[in-house]
Amino acid sequence: MENMETRDPDTDAGEMAFAAALAGRAQRFEYALVNDAGEVRHAWVHYVPDRHDDRVVGLFVLVSNITDFKKAELRLQALNEQLVAARDRAE
């Protein structure tokens, strides 16, 4: 479960994207959530306006768990930083 206390609706990317989607603009963004156990989970979120005639009557929402991909990306970044540091020490 997401820790809702840490989310500010005026600055939270998910809240702002939700409002933009309700205004008719499709949104895609990456989102990090912290569960009650303190674990960080990463998601790729899509909000697609559901239009009937010229009105937005709702949203289609697709949320994909990308935690494993994000962990691999962060690990690769760390390894690259170590490689650069080792190269700089060797020069």
Side-chain angles (χ1 to χ4, degrees), residues 14-71:
E15 293 288 335
M16 292 185 291
F18 190 79
L22 286 175
R25 297 182 305 277
Q27 302 291 303
R28 293 179 299 205
F29 59 97
E30 191 174 309
Y31 204 68
L33 305 166
V34 179
N35 65 17
D36 290 338
E39 301 165 323
V40 177
R41 299 286 184 225
H42 296 273
W44 187 241
V45 181
H46 298 257
Y47 293 150
V48 180
D50 181 13
R51 297 176 183 272
H52 290 275
D53 299 318
D54 287 332
R55 291 184 27 235
V56 174
V57 295
L59 298 176
F60 295 102
V61 178
L62 173 64
V63 179
S64 302
N65 182 348
I66 61 166
T67 301
D68 291 339
F69 295 109
K70 191 66 177 178
K71 284 180 182 178

